C-alpha cells in the first residue's frame, strides 16, 4: 500500500532548522516562556522524535514548524528559507483529531485537496489513504460517529493525502489501543521509508520513539530546552527487547527523571 | 394445579379483554367521545345571543367525532400518518374538551360576553362568510412577508458573517447593530415614509429589519466563536481566506444561524401588523386592525388563528430544512 502511494507521487523532503528559538505566549499582560533557546537541525528525510514532560512546549515547537506561529526570537527555516506561513508541504497532525464535524470522513480527508483545487487530479488518493488507515468502511460517517482512535486515524489520513514533505505529528497514536498502535507505527514507518518525507514526531512513549526514530530529542520542563539527544542506529524492523534499545530506553527515562524500574 | 387454573383463567381473561381492543386506538375513541360531546352541547343547549353557524359548528364537530370513530379501528393501517395521529391522540381528546368548554362559557352561559369573546361558531361564521377577503389577505401578507423575510435573513446572514469575520466590520457594525436592535418597528415608520418610494417598500423594510437583525447578531456570534483550531487545521492544509470563510466559518456557525432564523421568523410575524399599518389595502395585519377598529373581534380571532397556523407551518418547514442541513450535528446536540 505504502509503496503504491510512493509510486504515484514521488515526494521529496525538506530540511528543518530551528535556530536559537525562544517563544513566549502573552496572557493577560503576563508572559509565559515556553521555549528557551532551542536549536535543532533535521536533515531531509530524517525521522526525529521529541520527548518531554507534559506542558513543556512540544506542541508549540510543532506549531512554529508548521508556520502557525512565529517565534518570539530565533528563526525556523525550511531548506534555509524562513517559515512565515502555513503551507501544505508541511502538515501538522494535531494532538486532538480536530476533524471538521460538519464533514464526513471522506470530505475531511479531501479538505487539503479541495482547498488547493486538486480534487479532480488527486481525488483517487482519498480511497488509498482511507484503506491505509483502515477506514474504508467509514468514509461516509460523520466525526461524532467515530471512536477516538478512528478520529485520530482519519486525521492522519487527512494529512497523508497531501504528500507532505515534512510531516509534523503531535502524539498521533495517543488514543489507539496497543495493537492498532503497533500496526499504525509500522504503517507510518513503511510510508516514511517509501515516500521519503521528513518526520518530526511528538510522543510521550519512549518505546515508540525508539522504535521509529533515527534520533530522539529530550526536552526539559517548561521553558523547554534540549537536555539530551540520542541517535538510534538500529536498522528497521527493530525489536523492542533488543539489548541496545533497552539500554537507550533506560538512559532516556533517566533523562526524563524516572527511575529504572518503571 | 392452582397454577394451571390460574393460567387458564388468566389466559381466558386476557383473551376476552384483548380481542375487542386488539386493533383499537383507544385515544381515538376518547377523542370521538369528547368531540361528540362538544357537538351535543352546541346543538342541544340554547345560545344566549345569536351567533350564526351554530348548527354548522355542531355538524363539524360531529363529523370530526365520526372521523375519529372510523380512525380508531383503521389508524394502524395508515402507516406513518397513522403513527403521527396516534402521537397526537391526547391532543385531539383535549381539543374536543376545550372546544366544548369554550362553547359553553361563551355561547351557552354568556360568561365571556360579546363582543370581546366569540364562541367557536363565531369564528366559523367568519370563515364561511368572509373567506374570499381572508384569502386575498393571506395572499397579500404572503407576498409582503416572503419579500421581507427572505431579503432580511439574506442580508442579515451576509452582514453577520462580515461582522463575525472582520475586526474592522465588527468595530463599526456591532455598536450600530446593538443600537438598532431594540428599536421597536413602529419607531421606524416616520423615516421609512421619507426614504422609501412607496408604502409597500417601507413595509417590506420593516419585515426585513425584524427578521434580519436576530440573524445578523446570531450569525456574527457564531462566526466569531468558531474553534480557532479549525482555522489552524484548514490553513496547514492550504486553505485561503475564501475557503476559511465559506468552508469553515459558515458551516461551523450554521447551528447559530438557524437559531437566528427561528427568532427572525417569530419577529417577522409580530411586525406584520405594524408593517401593514402603512396604508396597505389588504393583508392579515390590515384585517386585524380594520376589524379591531369596528370591534369585530370574531374576525380578529379568526385571522389570528390563520396567522398562528401559517407561522406554525413555517416553523415546521424550517425544522425540516435545519435537520437536513445540520444532520452532522445529531449526537452533538
Ligand atoms: N495560545 C496559547 N496562549 C497561552 N499559552 C499557551 C498557548 N498555547 C500553549 N500555551 C502554554 O504553553 C505551554 C506549552 O504548551 P504545549 O501545548 O506546547 O505543551 P506540550 O508540551 O505539547 O504538552 P502536552 O504533552 O501536555 O501536550 C503550556 O504551559 C501552555 O499553557
Ligand atoms: Mg501537546
Amino acid at each position: 500500500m505504502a509503496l503504491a502511494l510512493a509510486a504515484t507521487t514521488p515526494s521529496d523532503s525538506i530540511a528543518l532548522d530551528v535556530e536559537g528559538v525562544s517563544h513566549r505566549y502573552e496572557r493577560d499582560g503576563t508572559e509565559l516562556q515556553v521555549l528557551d533557546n532551542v536549536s535543532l537541525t533535521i536533515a531531509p528525510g530524517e525521522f526525529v522524535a521529541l520527548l518531554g514532560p507534559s506542558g513543556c512546549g512540544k506542541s508549540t515547537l510543532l506549531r512554529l514548524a508548521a508556520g502557525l506561529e512565529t517565534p518570539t526570537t530565533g528563526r525556523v527555516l525550511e531548506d534555509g528559507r524562513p517559515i512565515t506561513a502555513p503551507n501544505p508541504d508541511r502538515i501538522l497532525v494535531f494532538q486532538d483529531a480536530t476533524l471538521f464535524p460538519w464533514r464526513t470522513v471522506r470530505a475531511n480527508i479531501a479538505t487539503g485537496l479541495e482547498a488547493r483545487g486538486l480534487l479532480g487530479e488527486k481525488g483517487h488518493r482519498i480511497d488509498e489513504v482511507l484503506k491505509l488507515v483502515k477506514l474504508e468502511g467509514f468514509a461516509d460517517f460523520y466525526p461524532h460517529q467515530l471512536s477516538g482512535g478512528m478520529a485520530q486515524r482519519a486525521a492522519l489520513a487527512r494529512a497523508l493525502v497531501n504528500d507532505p514533505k515534512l510531516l509534523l505529528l503531535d502524539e498521533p497514536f495517543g488514543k489507539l489501543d496497543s495493537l492498532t498502535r503497533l500496526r499504525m507505527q509500522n504503517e507510518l514507518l513503511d510510508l516514511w521509508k517509501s515516500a521519503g518525507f521528513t518526520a518530526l514526531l511528538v510522543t510521550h512513549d519512549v518505546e515508540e520513539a525508539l522504535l521509529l526514530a533515527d534520533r530522539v530529542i529530550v526536552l526539559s520542563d517548561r521553558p523547554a530546552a534540549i537536555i539530551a539527544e540520542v541517535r538510534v542506529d538500529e536498522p528497521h524492523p527493530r525489536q523492542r527487547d533488543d539489548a541496545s534499545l533497552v539500554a537507550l530506553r533506560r538512559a532516556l527515562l533517566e533523562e526524563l527523571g524516572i527511575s529504572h524500574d518503571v | 394445579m392452582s397454577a394451571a387454573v390460574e393460567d387458564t383463567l388468566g389466559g381466558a381473561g386476557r383473551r376476552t379483554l384483548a380481542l375487542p381492543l386488539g386493533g383499537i386506538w383507544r385515544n381515538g375513541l376518547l377523542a370521538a367521545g369528547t368531540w361528540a360531546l362538544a357537538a351535543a352541547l352546541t346543538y342541544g343547549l340554547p345560545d344566549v345571543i345569536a351567533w350564526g353557524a351554530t348548527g354548522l359548528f355542531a355538524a363539524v364537530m360531529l363529523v370530526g367525532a365520526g372521523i375519529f370513530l372510523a380512525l380508531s379501528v383503521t389508524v394502524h393501517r395508515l402507516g406513518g400518518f397513522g403513527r403521527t395521529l396516534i402521537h397526537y391522540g391526547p391532543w385531539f381528546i383535549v381539543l374536543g374538551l376545550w372546544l366544548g368548554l369554550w362553547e359553553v362559557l361563551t355561547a351557552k352561559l354568556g360568561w365571556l360576553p360579546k363582543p370581546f369573546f366569540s364562541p367557536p361558531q363565531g369564528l366559523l361564521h367568519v370563515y364561511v362568510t368572509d373567506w374570499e377577503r381572508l384569502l386575498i389577505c393571506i395572499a397579500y401578507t404572503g407576498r409582503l412577508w416572503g419579500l421581507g423575510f427572505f431579503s432580511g435573513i439574506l442580508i442579515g446572514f451576509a452582514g453577520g458573517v462580515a461582522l463575525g469575520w472582520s475586526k474592522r466590520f465588527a468595530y463599526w457594525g456591532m455598536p450600530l447593530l446593538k443600537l438598532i436592535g431594540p428599536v421597536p418597528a413602529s419607531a421606524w415608520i416616520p423615516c421609512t415614509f421619507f426614504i422609501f418610494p412607496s408604502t409597500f417598500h417601507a413595509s417590506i423594510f420593516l419585515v426585513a429589519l425584524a427578521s434580519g437583525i436576530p440573524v445578523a447578531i446570531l450569525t456574527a456570534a457564531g462566526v466569531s466563536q468558531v474553534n480557532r483550531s479549525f482555522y489552524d487545521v484548514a490553513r496547514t492544509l492550504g486553505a485561503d481566506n475564501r475557503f476559511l470563510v465559506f468552508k469553515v466559518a459558515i458551516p461551523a456557525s450554521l447551528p447559530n444561524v438557524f437559531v437566528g432564523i427561528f427568532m427572525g421568523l417569530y419577529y417577522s410575524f409580530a411586525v406584520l401588523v405594524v408593517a401593514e399599518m402603512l396604508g396597505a389595502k389588504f393583508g392579515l395585519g390590515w384585517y386585524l386592525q380594520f376589524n379591531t377598529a369596528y370591534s369585530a373581534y370574531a374576525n380578529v380571532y379568526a385571522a389570528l388563528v390563520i396567522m398562528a397556523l401559517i407561522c406554525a407551518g413555517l416553523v415546521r418547514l424550517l425544522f425540516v430544512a435545519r435537520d437536513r442541513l445540520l444532520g452532522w450535528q445529531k449526537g452533538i446536540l
Side-chain angles (χ1 to χ4, degrees):
Chain A
M1 193 64 246
L3 283 169
L5 275 175
T8 49
T9 40
S11 153
D12 42 347
S13 51
I14 51 180
L16 182 73
D17 286 296
V18 178
E19 288 182 353
V21 163
S22 297
H23 196 66
R24 282 187 289 277
Y25 284 115
E26 201 159 327
R27 259 192 83 249
D28 307 330
T30 58
E31 289 202 328
L32 187 71
Q33 171 127 22
V34 178
L35 296 176
D36 181 23
N37 195 18
V38 173
S39 292
L40 167 70
T41 301
I42 302 178
E46 200 181 5
F47 197 135
V48 174
L50 277 179
L51 284 173
S54 176
C56 71
K58 304 183 293 294
S59 299
T60 304
L61 192 56
L62 291 196
R63 287 179 64 85
L64 290 169
L68 287 168
E69 213 108 27
T70 38
T72 318
T73 50
R75 299 196 302 168
V76 186
L77 309 167
E78 60 167 327
D79 288 340
R81 294 182 308 275
I83 292 173
T84 51
N87 183 308
D89 280 345
R90 297 173 258 113
I91 292 201
L92 170 55
V93 179
F94 286 73
Q95 195 163 3
D96 314 309
T98 334
L99 297 174
F100 302 115
W102 56 89
R103 289 178 159 241
T104 60
V105 170
R106 176 185 297 280
N108 260 290
I109 294 174
T111 307
L113 299 178
E114 193 184 326
R116 289 181 293 148
L118 297 175
L119 211 48
E121 190 185 321
K122 290 189 165 180
H124 62 279
R125 296 286 318 279
I126 295 171
D127 287 305
E128 294 175 17
V129 292
L130 270 169
K131 234 176 253 158
L132 188 75
V133 297
K134 295 274 189 297
L135 283 176
E136 58 268 57
F138 296 90
D140 298 320
F141 279 50
Y142 281 102
H144 78 261
Q145 296 164 321
L146 302 179
S147 72
M150 286 160 80
Q152 266 188 335
R153 284 184 277 149
L156 188 59
R158 181 171 63 179
L160 291 177
V161 79
N162 298 289
D163 300 316
K165 296 178 180 172
L166 170 65
L167 188 59
L168 304 159
L169 298 158
D170 202 345
E171 301 189 20
F173 308 134
K175 283 184 189 150
L176 301 183
D177 64 275
S178 50
L179 281 178
T180 316
R181 195 184 171 97
L182 281 179
R183 209 181 53 71
M184 291 300 297
Q185 285 170 353
N186 285 331
E187 291 288 356
L188 178 65
L189 209 52
D190 285 347
L191 202 66
W192 168 69
K193 275 191 242 162
S194 56
F197 51 75
T198 311
L200 181 55
L201 169 81
V202 165
T203 176
H204 51 232
D205 182 346
V206 179
E207 237 166 48
E208 179 171 281
L210 288 172
L211 279 177
L212 297 177
D214 297 325
R215 202 144 51 101
V216 181
I217 290 169
V218 182
L219 297 174
S220 69
D221 219 334
R222 202 195 68 216
I226 295 177
I227 51 173
E229 200 177 315
V230 174
R231 182 161 285 286
V232 190
D233 287 323
E234 289 295 300
H236 296 288
R238 294 176 185 161
Q239 300 301 319
R240 57 190 60 224
D241 48 7
D242 183 293
S244 62
L245 286 193
V246 170
L248 283 175
R249 175 170 178 267
R250 182 162 304 170
L252 284 173
L253 285 174
E254 222 155 283
E255 290 294 350
L256 287 162
I258 300 161
S259 64
H260 314 277
D261 34 48
V262 177
Chain B
M1 198 205 109
S2 69
V5 170
E6 224 171 73
D7 211 6
T8 45
L9 275 179
R14 217 174 296 134
R15 208 170 301 129
T16 44
L17 268 176
L19 260 183
L21 285 176
I24 285 191
W25 176 36
R26 210 169 53 97
N27 283 340
L29 268 186
L30 288 173
T34 61
W35 283 54
L37 178 71
L41 288 171
T42 309
Y43 194 72
L45 300 175
D47 285 354
V48 283
I49 17 169
W51 278 100
T54 302
L56 182 61
F57 177 63
V60 167
M61 292 308 286
L62 201 62
V63 170
I67 291 174
F68 283 121
L69 198 62
L71 280 174
S72 64
V73 286
T74 57
V75 77
H76 297 293
R77 271 174 258 152
L78 296 181
F81 179 61
R83 274 192 293 281
T84 312
L85 284 177
I86 290 173
H87 175 75
Y88 287 106
W91 270 98
F92 295 131
I93 301 172
V94 171
L95 195 61
L97 284 177
W98 187 74
L99 286 168
L101 185 72
W102 178 14
E103 174 68 34
V104 169
L105 289 181
T106 51
K108 306 306 178 190
L109 296 174
W111 289 358
L112 301 174
K114 201 175 182 176
F116 309 106
F117 294 93
S118 161
Q121 60 261 44
L123 270 59
L124 195 59
H125 184 69
V126 171
Y127 293 136
V128 173
T129 54
D130 212 14
W131 62 271
E132 277 181 70
R133 198 181 342 191
L134 277 169
L135 278 185
I136 295 173
C137 285
I138 291 173
Y140 269 77
T141 297
R143 183 177 62 151
L144 168 62
W145 179 82
L147 288 169
F149 179 74
F150 288 108
S151 58
I153 60 171
L154 225 67
I155 294 168
F157 173 70
V161 171
L163 288 169
W165 180 259
S166 147
K167 288 227 164 60
R168 188 170 312 170
F169 249 98
Y171 176 81
W172 293 104
M174 264 339 229
L176 286 180
L177 199 60
K178 281 179 188 150
L179 277 177
I180 292 173
V183 175
S186 46
W188 289 100
I189 291 177
C191 39
T192 53
F193 264 132
F194 181 74
I195 296 168
F196 290 96
S198 77
T199 51
F200 184 56
H201 288 91
S203 305
I204 293 178
F205 170 75
L206 289 185
V207 176
L209 197 67
S211 35
I213 283 180
V215 175
I217 292 177
L218 275 136
T219 305
V223 169
S224 60
Q225 282 162 14
V226 173
N227 185 347
R228 299 282 124 187
S229 341
F230 287 146
Y231 296 136
D232 286 346
V233 172
R235 280 168 65 213
T236 58
L237 293 172
D240 53 10
N241 270 336
R242 199 187 145 77
F243 191 95
L244 292 183
V245 173
F246 287 98
K247 298 293 177 84
V248 180
I250 289 179
S253 56
L254 219 47
N256 260 29
V257 175
F258 265 95
V259 176
I261 295 178
F262 274 106
M263 290 169 64
L265 180 61
Y266 284 116
Y267 290 153
S268 69
F269 263 74
V271 86
L272 273 179
V273 180
V274 176
E276 286 177 341
M277 264 203 273
L278 310 179
K281 289 177 207 70
F282 281 107
L284 288 169
W286 165 84
Y287 192 89
L288 289 177
Q289 291 170 63
F290 181 82
N291 286 295
T292 310
Y294 286 93
S295 302
Y297 293 113
N299 297 62
V300 173
Y301 293 133
L304 277 177
V305 169
I306 292 179
M307 280 179 90
L309 288 179
I310 292 176
C311 191
L314 288 168
V315 168
R316 174 99 216 145
L317 272 181
L318 201 52
F319 265 113
V320 172
R322 190 199 69 165
D323 289 348
R324 285 223 155 170
L325 278 170
L326 299 184
W328 55 268
Q329 263 199 322
K330 270 185 204 133
I332 294 180
L333 276 183

